[in-house]
Amino acid sequence: MAHIHGAAGAGHQHAVVAVPTRTAVVRTAVILAAGQGSRMRRDEPSAALDASQAAVAASGIKGMMPFGGPLGRPFLEYVISALADAGITNVVLVIGPSHDLIRRHFTTGVRSARVHVRFVVQPEPLGTANAVAIAADSVGSEPFLVLNSDNYYPVQAFRLLAEYGGAATVAFDRAALLRWGNIPADRVQAFAALDVEADGTLRGVVEKPGGQWAADDPRFRWVGMNLWCITPALADACRRVPRSTRGEFELPEAVALAIAEGVRVQAMPFEGGVLDLSHRSDVSAVQQALADITPRL
């Protein structure tokens, strides 16, 4: 059973190094929920899904995967509840044109007492930097958190970024992800690594580090799980970054552009687990890990 170290209802969570807090507190989070869910749509005969879970898996809208029995709560409710625990009061869901299921649920299907939820539409799947730029136009000049819709992050990881308030990302310890999350080792090994200076300054994001660094290279330790605090400078880079080799506007490349132009981005080392809901085979472990958590919106 996966254990999300330090999540609501779970054990104590801590950062590897202490980062001084600032008086500014981030109150807005942007959740990237416009993906097509191609991996979730793939059939996996061995995955144990109930009928409602199978229907959502077929749609590819991972954030609406229900947990908690016949009257289950969608995964996004757990994510938003954790954000609220960290002091976030405004959530912007970036959705695709066909994601009416998400809009309907958070407009008419659930009442939110702690968090105000609204939506922006990414007309085409043009990448994470494009999604962030669209959200930034809606949010305005304040900093905001950015996170995936198919990951459940520890509350303390959100707090680190929200209290810091500047351009930053959470650097997850690779060994801790394996110890406290549900993510298989081969998947974690393939995740992007964060190249971090001794003082915590982010040098850059390294895709497929296993092909460049030895496994015992200290730089291989820190994993990027797409959890950021976006400032106006980073949002501006998201608007200007060129398309990647995959034909998309990608957030890591936008961050690299900002760093090259002199923007300092803080990497906040952190030991803790993350739940990943990318594949149908992830559903069972996520369900077990969330069993004792009741979302409160």
Side-chain angles (χ1 to χ4, degrees), residues 12-100:
H12 175 68
Q13 179 103 273
H14 64 280
V16 176
V17 296
V19 178
T21 58
R22 300 183 179 184
T23 54
V25 176
V26 177
R27 295 291 188 181
T28 299
V30 170
I31 303 178
L32 305 179
Q36 302 301 302
S38 56
R39 289 174 293 183
M40 181 61 74
R41 293 201 306 268
R42 293 176 194 150
D43 188 31
E44 293 183 77
S46 62
L49 309 182
D50 64 27
S52 60
Q53 291 171 337
V56 170
S59 75
I61 306 177
K62 295 174 283 188
M64 294 305 294
M65 181 65 67
F67 295 102
L71 300 176
R73 309 279 291 274
F75 186 69
L76 272 171
E77 284 196 28
Y78 292 87
V79 175
I80 293 172
S81 180
L83 285 166
D85 288 343
I88 296 299
T89 56
N90 298 290
V91 168
V92 178
L93 286 166
V94 181
I95 60 176
S98 63
H99 290 175
D100 287 339

Side-chain angles (χ1 to χ4, degrees), residues 213-259:
W213 298 343
D216 59 353
D217 189 315
R219 296 174 299 176
F220 197 69
R221 178 179 180 181
W222 304 115
V223 178
M225 294 294 293
N226 207 37
L227 179 55
W228 300 86
C229 183
I230 299 295
T231 58
L234 291 185
D236 180 61
C238 286
R239 298 183 185 98
R240 296 183 291 108
V241 68
R243 289 179 187 261
S244 69
T245 55
R246 298 193 303 176
E248 297 182 354
F249 302 99
E250 304 197 29
L251 182 51
E253 296 195 8
V255 172
L257 173 63
I259 291 172

Side-chain angles (χ1 to χ4, degrees), residues 19-20 22 24-26 132 141-146 157-158 160-171 194 196 199-205 227-238 251 254-269:
V19 178
R22 300 183 179 184
V25 176
V26 177
V132 169
S141 59
E142 65 178 280
F144 55 90
L145 305 191
V146 164
F158 292 145
L160 280 174
L161 290 181
E163 292 176 356
Y164 181 69
T169 189
V170 175
L194 301 180
V196 183
D199 66 355
T201 302
L202 181 69
R203 291 192 191 99
V205 181
L227 179 55
W228 300 86
C229 183
I230 299 295
T231 58
L234 291 185
D236 180 61
C238 286
L251 182 51
V255 172
L257 173 63
I259 291 172
E261 293 176 345
V263 176
R264 184 182 185 278
V265 180
Q266 175 77 29
M268 311 183 85

